[in-house]
Amino acid sequence: MSDNIEDDDGTPSERERVDPVDAGDDEPPAPSNPGSASTDADPSDPNESGDRGLEDLGEDVSVKDSAEIEGDENDLLGGLSIDTTGDIEVPERLVDQVIGQDHARDVIKKAANQRRHVMMIGSPGTGKSMLAKAMSQLLPKEELQDVLVYHNPDDGNEPKVRTVPAGKGEQIVEAHKEEARKRNQMRTFLMWIIIAIVIGYALIIVAQPLLGILAAGVIYLAFRYGSRGSDAMIPNLLIDNSGQQVAPFKDATGAHAGALLGDVRHDPFQSGGMETPSHDRVESGAIHEANKGVLFVDEINTLDIRSQQKLMTAIQEGEFSITGQSERSSGAMVQTEPVPCDFVMIAAGNLDAMENMHPALRSRIKGYGYEVYMDDTIEDDPEMRRKYARFIAQEVEKDGRLPHFTEDAVREVILESRRRAGRKGHLTLKLRELGGLVRVAGDIARAEGKEFTERTDVLAAKDRSQSIEQQLADEMIDRYQDYDMSTVQGDVVGRVNGLAVMGDDSGIVKPIMAEVTQGKGEIIATGRLQEIAEESVQNVSAIIKKFTDKDIDAMDVHIQFLQSYEGVEGDSASISIATAVISAMEDIPIDQTVAMTGSLSVRGDVLPVGGVTHKIEAAAKSGIKTVIIPAANEQDVMIEEEYEDMIEIVPVTHISEVLEVALAGEPEKDSLVDRLKSLTGKALESSEVGTGSGSPSPQ
């Protein structure tokens, strides 16, 4: 009986070919054409990718028998008439659960049909990983494969690789184990016979029992040592796709080189017959486990350059040998034959991901696939509002522990999605954060033993699920009030209540002070200003020089951002700076019940900024009575109902309008504003300039 599993050329031996479990499978299945779709997809199966299924992506919202879709589409629920989200049917396919991102879904559909690579760039929580998982369900049905690694009798450091149909690999390994077990039984039986003969000879013939025991021990060790060679012939089942119904999906986000590309385990016993055979130490990487499926890598720029280079090779060749990834490991001497890795790659990341991404890797993805930018918001229409209601039902179903949401609770979540969009007539697509709100609200309702999640639970969740930045902003506001740093009453020369945002959703009042002294015409600003903020100060200096009748060359202007420990970014404090400096120069006080935000052009036009809703709410919390905002941002204001009666919002288009509202002292103010009008030709009621120019800046 031969101990060799394979012939010297690496092909299965004649004995293996007649194994019952392996008959007729001595050749691996031919790989499918990656550029063509399979024709055997069952269109009736929701997990298949037949033509009908692909065309039905993003199906309309449907409800159960106890609910209906009425005609009043202007309602917050888009015409849905439900008691709870339990009345809404949740689609089975992931791709139908994706909200918005119509362009991205269309790209995923095409890429799945033609097996193309995709790079998705966009903000976190917009559905990149969900689309990647959905793609594995949409891929054309192909014959999945198991991968076996065999011992190479010619060179133990170059194991041989063989592919077989999915499910066959486990049968082959079991057959080899059974054969090895029978072989070991025969060896053990033969060993005990020989030991018995030797001991009998030593006792009866030569009458030296000690010699017989020593001889028996040597024979026992020799047989045990020899049996290791037969155990080494059992192949290593590297990839097992038995039971896999759809294409594999592997998330390799943040994977180190070994986890991504495969590795060879270190063997502490490297000689003396105690070592583990090299083929048994081979471990698959994510690229091999994703064969015939999807490899998803989020934050692609976090992979080191060498891994990106090797990933590029794997994409190009469709196969990649496994070797030790550490030079200090014995596995560095082992390198297998090429292992199949014919995967579809989906790379994802934020905008900065493209900066540190290997240009050749991006070129390969772009050359063999698509690049798509993920939207942050989507237009608010009845269909989308219905899908947002379905999104809540999806989150409840996925969690499995949350009570369903009532109709009023769903309305409140949709209202919050409008606020988080930051644009009038839009809904946010940062659904991971919105899903967090849903889960917190559900947890609150469950903790109180409620059957359903109600609107009051959603309102409570909005407070409890505040971001770290918002909690910090609230604490800073309290500290300002404790130490009297924020003045919200009276008139003060050269002091303005500016507004800023921390993070994405946290507003805060930032006092700004200005003082004019004798000097050399310099403008000095303190408060850890970043580059854009410094440039905005320079723009404001041009406005001051134009609009004042003072000899500014003989003055120094000092501008201070109070308690800006974290620094100042953006240019949204431009109108605040200009107002403070003009107030200091003209010695006209500023009404401290007024706060403001807005950028400025060098000609004095007020330009739009970002975060106006959160800034207005922060002002209301601080006791401010009036907020000045750019007229272009008027459509972006979506403050909570509780703040609507607490504060007056004044949209402006020019610095002269800002001064008209903010400055106190009627005679002096009127004289200054009239002079600005005569210099600029602007009328306070004019709204032609500044309403649509520029784009919102972050702060």
PDB file of all heavy atoms in Angstrom, residues 591-618:
ATOM      1  N   ASP A 591     -25.692  95.478  20.771  1.00  0.00           N
ATOM      2  CA  ASP A 591     -26.756  94.876  21.573  1.00  0.00           C
ATOM      3  C   ASP A 591     -26.371  93.429  21.897  1.00  0.00           C
ATOM      4  O   ASP A 591     -26.206  92.593  20.998  1.00  0.00           O
ATOM      5  CB  ASP A 591     -28.070  94.918  20.780  1.00  0.00           C
ATOM      6  CG  ASP A 591     -29.256  94.421  21.601  1.00  0.00           C
ATOM      7  OD1 ASP A 591     -29.044  93.943  22.730  1.00  0.00           O
ATOM      8  OD2 ASP A 591     -30.388  94.499  21.081  1.00  0.00           O
ATOM      9  N   GLN A 592     -26.223  93.097  23.172  1.00  0.00           N
ATOM     10  CA  GLN A 592     -25.770  91.770  23.582  1.00  0.00           C
ATOM     11  C   GLN A 592     -26.884  90.722  23.579  1.00  0.00           C
ATOM     12  O   GLN A 592     -26.615  89.553  23.845  1.00  0.00           O
ATOM     13  CB  GLN A 592     -25.143  91.849  24.968  1.00  0.00           C
ATOM     14  CG  GLN A 592     -23.905  92.727  25.028  1.00  0.00           C
ATOM     15  CD  GLN A 592     -22.811  92.257  24.061  1.00  0.00           C
ATOM     16  OE1 GLN A 592     -22.273  91.165  24.220  1.00  0.00           O
ATOM     17  NE2 GLN A 592     -22.491  93.089  23.070  1.00  0.00           N
ATOM     18  N   THR A 593     -28.105  91.131  23.261  1.00  0.00           N
ATOM     19  CA  THR A 593     -29.174  90.131  23.089  1.00  0.00           C
ATOM     20  C   THR A 593     -29.189  89.582  21.668  1.00  0.00           C
ATOM     21  O   THR A 593     -30.046  88.768  21.322  1.00  0.00           O
ATOM     22  CB  THR A 593     -30.545  90.744  23.404  1.00  0.00           C
ATOM     23  OG1 THR A 593     -30.850  91.768  22.445  1.00  0.00           O
ATOM     24  CG2 THR A 593     -30.569  91.329  24.811  1.00  0.00           C
ATOM     25  N   VAL A 594     -28.220  90.053  20.868  1.00  0.00           N
ATOM     26  CA  VAL A 594     -28.130  89.631  19.468  1.00  0.00           C
ATOM     27  C   VAL A 594     -26.906  88.734  19.292  1.00  0.00           C
ATOM     28  O   VAL A 594     -25.831  89.030  19.817  1.00  0.00           O
ATOM     29  CB  VAL A 594     -28.035  90.850  18.525  1.00  0.00           C
ATOM     30  CG1 VAL A 594     -27.845  90.402  17.082  1.00  0.00           C
ATOM     31  CG2 VAL A 594     -29.270  91.727  18.658  1.00  0.00           C
ATOM     32  N   ALA A 595     -27.066  87.629  18.555  1.00  0.00           N
ATOM     33  CA  ALA A 595     -25.950  86.769  18.138  1.00  0.00           C
ATOM     34  C   ALA A 595     -25.987  86.664  16.627  1.00  0.00           C
ATOM     35  O   ALA A 595     -27.025  86.943  15.999  1.00  0.00           O
ATOM     36  CB  ALA A 595     -26.048  85.397  18.781  1.00  0.00           C
ATOM     37  N   MET A 596     -24.879  86.270  16.037  1.00  0.00           N
ATOM     38  CA  MET A 596     -24.826  86.264  14.571  1.00  0.00           C
ATOM     39  C   MET A 596     -23.868  85.207  14.048  1.00  0.00           C
ATOM     40  O   MET A 596     -22.944  84.767  14.732  1.00  0.00           O
ATOM     41  CB  MET A 596     -24.413  87.645  14.053  1.00  0.00           C
ATOM     42  CG  MET A 596     -23.042  88.109  14.508  1.00  0.00           C
ATOM     43  SD  MET A 596     -22.712  89.838  14.051  1.00  0.00           S
ATOM     44  CE  MET A 596     -23.818  90.711  15.145  1.00  0.00           C
ATOM     45  N   THR A 597     -24.102  84.815  12.796  1.00  0.00           N
ATOM     46  CA  THR A 597     -23.204  83.918  12.074  1.00  0.00           C
ATOM     47  C   THR A 597     -23.314  84.230  10.597  1.00  0.00           C
ATOM     48  O   THR A 597     -24.392  84.580  10.106  1.00  0.00           O
ATOM     49  CB  THR A 597     -23.543  82.441  12.333  1.00  0.00           C
ATOM     50  OG1 THR A 597     -22.603  81.606  11.638  1.00  0.00           O
ATOM     51  CG2 THR A 597     -24.941  82.087  11.843  1.00  0.00           C
ATOM     52  N   GLY A 598     -22.208  84.135   9.902  1.00  0.00           N
ATOM     53  CA  GLY A 598     -22.213  84.407   8.467  1.00  0.00           C
ATOM     54  C   GLY A 598     -20.824  84.721   7.960  1.00  0.00           C
ATOM     55  O   GLY A 598     -19.987  85.259   8.690  1.00  0.00           O
ATOM     56  N   SER A 599     -20.578  84.379   6.719  1.00  0.00           N
ATOM     57  CA  SER A 599     -19.311  84.710   6.073  1.00  0.00           C
ATOM     58  C   SER A 599     -19.457  86.031   5.325  1.00  0.00           C
ATOM     59  O   SER A 599     -20.578  86.512   5.118  1.00  0.00           O
ATOM     60  CB  SER A 599     -18.917  83.587   5.111  1.00  0.00           C
ATOM     61  OG  SER A 599     -17.704  83.879   4.460  1.00  0.00           O
ATOM     62  N   LEU A 600     -18.330  86.619   4.947  1.00  0.00           N
ATOM     63  CA  LEU A 600     -18.346  87.912   4.250  1.00  0.00           C
ATOM     64  C   LEU A 600     -17.468  87.857   3.009  1.00  0.00           C
ATOM     65  O   LEU A 600     -16.383  87.262   3.030  1.00  0.00           O
ATOM     66  CB  LEU A 600     -17.820  89.019   5.168  1.00  0.00           C
ATOM     67  CG  LEU A 600     -18.794  89.759   6.080  1.00  0.00           C
ATOM     68  CD1 LEU A 600     -18.034  90.807   6.882  1.00  0.00           C
ATOM     69  CD2 LEU A 600     -19.909  90.415   5.291  1.00  0.00           C
ATOM     70  N   SER A 601     -17.950  88.491   1.961  1.00  0.00           N
ATOM     71  CA  SER A 601     -17.079  88.726   0.808  1.00  0.00           C
ATOM     72  C   SER A 601     -16.285  90.005   1.066  1.00  0.00           C
ATOM     73  O   SER A 601     -16.591  90.767   1.992  1.00  0.00           O
ATOM     74  CB  SER A 601     -17.914  88.866  -0.466  1.00  0.00           C
ATOM     75  OG  SER A 601     -18.592  90.128  -0.481  1.00  0.00           O
ATOM     76  N   VAL A 602     -15.280  90.270   0.272  1.00  0.00           N
ATOM     77  CA  VAL A 602     -14.461  91.468   0.468  1.00  0.00           C
ATOM     78  C   VAL A 602     -15.256  92.733   0.153  1.00  0.00           C
ATOM     79  O   VAL A 602     -14.804  93.837   0.462  1.00  0.00           O
ATOM     80  CB  VAL A 602     -13.190  91.408  -0.410  1.00  0.00           C
ATOM     81  CG1 VAL A 602     -12.265  90.319   0.073  1.00  0.00           C
ATOM     82  CG2 VAL A 602     -13.547  91.220  -1.876  1.00  0.00           C
ATOM     83  N   ARG A 603     -16.438  92.583  -0.441  1.00  0.00           N
ATOM     84  CA  ARG A 603     -17.275  93.745  -0.756  1.00  0.00           C
ATOM     85  C   ARG A 603     -18.409  93.910   0.255  1.00  0.00           C
ATOM     86  O   ARG A 603     -19.272  94.757   0.084  1.00  0.00           O
ATOM     87  CB  ARG A 603     -17.850  93.612  -2.158  1.00  0.00           C
ATOM     88  CG  ARG A 603     -16.776  93.462  -3.224  1.00  0.00           C
ATOM     89  CD  ARG A 603     -17.348  93.492  -4.612  1.00  0.00           C
ATOM     90  NE  ARG A 603     -17.968  94.760  -4.925  1.00  0.00           N
ATOM     91  CZ  ARG A 603     -18.536  95.055  -6.092  1.00  0.00           C
ATOM     92  NH1 ARG A 603     -18.545  94.145  -7.056  1.00  0.00           N
ATOM     93  NH2 ARG A 603     -19.083  96.236  -6.294  1.00  0.00           N
ATOM     94  N   GLY A 604     -18.435  93.041   1.292  1.00  0.00           N
ATOM     95  CA  GLY A 604     -19.421  93.201   2.342  1.00  0.00           C
ATOM     96  C   GLY A 604     -20.676  92.381   2.178  1.00  0.00           C
ATOM     97  O   GLY A 604     -21.616  92.527   2.972  1.00  0.00           O
ATOM     98  N   ASP A 605     -20.740  91.506   1.179  1.00  0.00           N
ATOM     99  CA  ASP A 605     -21.908  90.649   1.011  1.00  0.00           C
ATOM    100  C   ASP A 605     -21.852  89.504   2.020  1.00  0.00           C
ATOM    101  O   ASP A 605     -20.801  88.891   2.234  1.00  0.00           O
ATOM    102  CB  ASP A 605     -21.963  90.073  -0.404  1.00  0.00           C
ATOM    103  CG  ASP A 605     -22.010  91.168  -1.461  1.00  0.00           C
ATOM    104  OD1 ASP A 605     -22.773  92.118  -1.262  1.00  0.00           O
ATOM    105  OD2 ASP A 605     -21.266  91.066  -2.465  1.00  0.00           O
ATOM    106  N   VAL A 606     -22.983  89.185   2.623  1.00  0.00           N
ATOM    107  CA  VAL A 606     -23.068  88.103   3.605  1.00  0.00           C
ATOM    108  C   VAL A 606     -23.316  86.790   2.863  1.00  0.00           C
ATOM    109  O   VAL A 606     -24.300  86.657   2.126  1.00  0.00           O
ATOM    110  CB  VAL A 606     -24.184  88.367   4.628  1.00  0.00           C
ATOM    111  CG1 VAL A 606     -24.260  87.222   5.630  1.00  0.00           C
ATOM    112  CG2 VAL A 606     -23.951  89.689   5.341  1.00  0.00           C
ATOM    113  N   LEU A 607     -22.421  85.830   3.082  1.00  0.00           N
ATOM    114  CA  LEU A 607     -22.465  84.554   2.371  1.00  0.00           C
ATOM    115  C   LEU A 607     -22.938  83.436   3.301  1.00  0.00           C
ATOM    116  O   LEU A 607     -22.787  83.523   4.523  1.00  0.00           O
ATOM    117  CB  LEU A 607     -21.077  84.218   1.817  1.00  0.00           C
ATOM    118  CG  LEU A 607     -20.421  85.306   0.955  1.00  0.00           C
ATOM    119  CD1 LEU A 607     -19.034  84.855   0.509  1.00  0.00           C
ATOM    120  CD2 LEU A 607     -21.290  85.632  -0.249  1.00  0.00           C
ATOM    121  N   PRO A 608     -23.498  82.357   2.742  1.00  0.00           N
ATOM    122  CA  PRO A 608     -24.061  81.276   3.579  1.00  0.00           C
ATOM    123  C   PRO A 608     -22.984  80.483   4.314  1.00  0.00           C
ATOM    124  O   PRO A 608     -21.838  80.404   3.890  1.00  0.00           O
ATOM    125  CB  PRO A 608     -24.795  80.394   2.564  1.00  0.00           C
ATOM    126  CG  PRO A 608     -24.120  80.665   1.259  1.00  0.00           C
ATOM    127  CD  PRO A 608     -23.717  82.103   1.291  1.00  0.00           C
ATOM    128  N   VAL A 609     -23.393  79.885   5.425  1.00  0.00           N
ATOM    129  CA  VAL A 609     -22.519  79.047   6.252  1.00  0.00           C
ATOM    130  C   VAL A 609     -23.281  77.774   6.604  1.00  0.00           C
ATOM    131  O   VAL A 609     -24.458  77.618   6.280  1.00  0.00           O
ATOM    132  CB  VAL A 609     -22.068  79.778   7.529  1.00  0.00           C
ATOM    133  CG1 VAL A 609     -21.189  80.963   7.187  1.00  0.00           C
ATOM    134  CG2 VAL A 609     -23.274  80.217   8.355  1.00  0.00           C
ATOM    135  N   GLY A 610     -22.604  76.867   7.299  1.00  0.00           N
ATOM    136  CA  GLY A 610     -23.232  75.609   7.693  1.00  0.00           C
ATOM    137  C   GLY A 610     -23.682  75.627   9.144  1.00  0.00           C
ATOM    138  O   GLY A 610     -23.280  76.462   9.942  1.00  0.00           O
ATOM    139  N   GLY A 611     -24.540  74.667   9.491  1.00  0.00           N
ATOM    140  CA  GLY A 611     -24.943  74.453  10.870  1.00  0.00           C
ATOM    141  C   GLY A 611     -25.830  75.509  11.468  1.00  0.00           C
ATOM    142  O   GLY A 611     -25.845  75.687  12.700  1.00  0.00           O
ATOM    143  N   VAL A 612     -26.608  76.239  10.658  1.00  0.00           N
ATOM    144  CA  VAL A 612     -27.389  77.354  11.204  1.00  0.00           C
ATOM    145  C   VAL A 612     -28.443  76.881  12.201  1.00  0.00           C
ATOM    146  O   VAL A 612     -28.704  77.562  13.206  1.00  0.00           O
ATOM    147  CB  VAL A 612     -28.047  78.175  10.067  1.00  0.00           C
ATOM    148  CG1 VAL A 612     -27.014  78.965   9.292  1.00  0.00           C
ATOM    149  CG2 VAL A 612     -28.854  77.291   9.140  1.00  0.00           C
ATOM    150  N   THR A 613     -29.029  75.730  11.957  1.00  0.00           N
ATOM    151  CA  THR A 613     -30.065  75.240  12.878  1.00  0.00           C
ATOM    152  C   THR A 613     -29.501  75.028  14.273  1.00  0.00           C
ATOM    153  O   THR A 613     -30.083  75.467  15.280  1.00  0.00           O
ATOM    154  CB  THR A 613     -30.666  73.928  12.348  1.00  0.00           C
ATOM    155  OG1 THR A 613     -31.363  74.186  11.120  1.00  0.00           O
ATOM    156  CG2 THR A 613     -31.642  73.334  13.353  1.00  0.00           C
ATOM    157  N   HIS A 614     -28.361  74.369  14.363  1.00  0.00           N
ATOM    158  CA  HIS A 614     -27.757  74.084  15.667  1.00  0.00           C
ATOM    159  C   HIS A 614     -27.236  75.363  16.329  1.00  0.00           C
ATOM    160  O   HIS A 614     -27.267  75.486  17.555  1.00  0.00           O
ATOM    161  CB  HIS A 614     -26.631  73.070  15.501  1.00  0.00           C
ATOM    162  CG  HIS A 614     -27.068  71.808  14.817  1.00  0.00           C
ATOM    163  ND1 HIS A 614     -27.992  70.957  15.364  1.00  0.00           N
ATOM    164  CD2 HIS A 614     -26.719  71.267  13.616  1.00  0.00           C
ATOM    165  CE1 HIS A 614     -28.192  69.937  14.545  1.00  0.00           C
ATOM    166  NE2 HIS A 614     -27.436  70.111  13.482  1.00  0.00           N
ATOM    167  N   LYS A 615     -26.772  76.298  15.524  1.00  0.00           N
ATOM    168  CA  LYS A 615     -26.312  77.564  16.080  1.00  0.00           C
ATOM    169  C   LYS A 615     -27.467  78.355  16.680  1.00  0.00           C
ATOM    170  O   LYS A 615     -27.345  78.944  17.766  1.00  0.00           O
ATOM    171  CB  LYS A 615     -25.615  78.387  14.991  1.00  0.00           C
ATOM    172  CG  LYS A 615     -24.303  77.780  14.490  1.00  0.00           C
ATOM    173  CD  LYS A 615     -23.743  78.590  13.334  1.00  0.00           C
ATOM    174  CE  LYS A 615     -22.449  77.990  12.808  1.00  0.00           C
ATOM    175  NZ  LYS A 615     -21.900  78.734  11.664  1.00  0.00           N
ATOM    176  N   ILE A 616     -28.601  78.376  15.986  1.00  0.00           N
ATOM    177  CA  ILE A 616     -29.770  79.107  16.485  1.00  0.00           C
ATOM    178  C   ILE A 616     -30.263  78.490  17.795  1.00  0.00           C
ATOM    179  O   ILE A 616     -30.590  79.196  18.757  1.00  0.00           O
ATOM    180  CB  ILE A 616     -30.887  79.121  15.426  1.00  0.00           C
ATOM    181  CG1 ILE A 616     -30.448  79.947  14.206  1.00  0.00           C
ATOM    182  CG2 ILE A 616     -32.182  79.684  16.001  1.00  0.00           C
ATOM    183  CD1 ILE A 616     -31.392  79.833  13.024  1.00  0.00           C
ATOM    184  N   GLU A 617     -30.306  77.184  17.853  1.00  0.00           N
ATOM    185  CA  GLU A 617     -30.757  76.519  19.073  1.00  0.00           C
ATOM    186  C   GLU A 617     -29.807  76.792  20.238  1.00  0.00           C
ATOM    187  O   GLU A 617     -30.243  76.954  21.383  1.00  0.00           O
ATOM    188  CB  GLU A 617     -30.891  75.017  18.823  1.00  0.00           C
ATOM    189  CG  GLU A 617     -32.036  74.674  17.881  1.00  0.00           C
ATOM    190  CD  GLU A 617     -32.156  73.182  17.620  1.00  0.00           C
ATOM    191  OE1 GLU A 617     -31.232  72.430  18.004  1.00  0.00           O
ATOM    192  OE2 GLU A 617     -33.177  72.775  17.040  1.00  0.00           O
ATOM    193  N   ALA A 618     -28.488  76.825  19.944  1.00  0.00           N
ATOM    194  CA  ALA A 618     -27.520  77.148  20.997  1.00  0.00           C
ATOM    195  C   ALA A 618     -27.733  78.566  21.512  1.00  0.00           C
ATOM    196  O   ALA A 618     -27.637  78.827  22.720  1.00  0.00           O
ATOM    197  CB  ALA A 618     -26.098  76.983  20.464  1.00  0.00           C
TER     198      ALA A 618
END
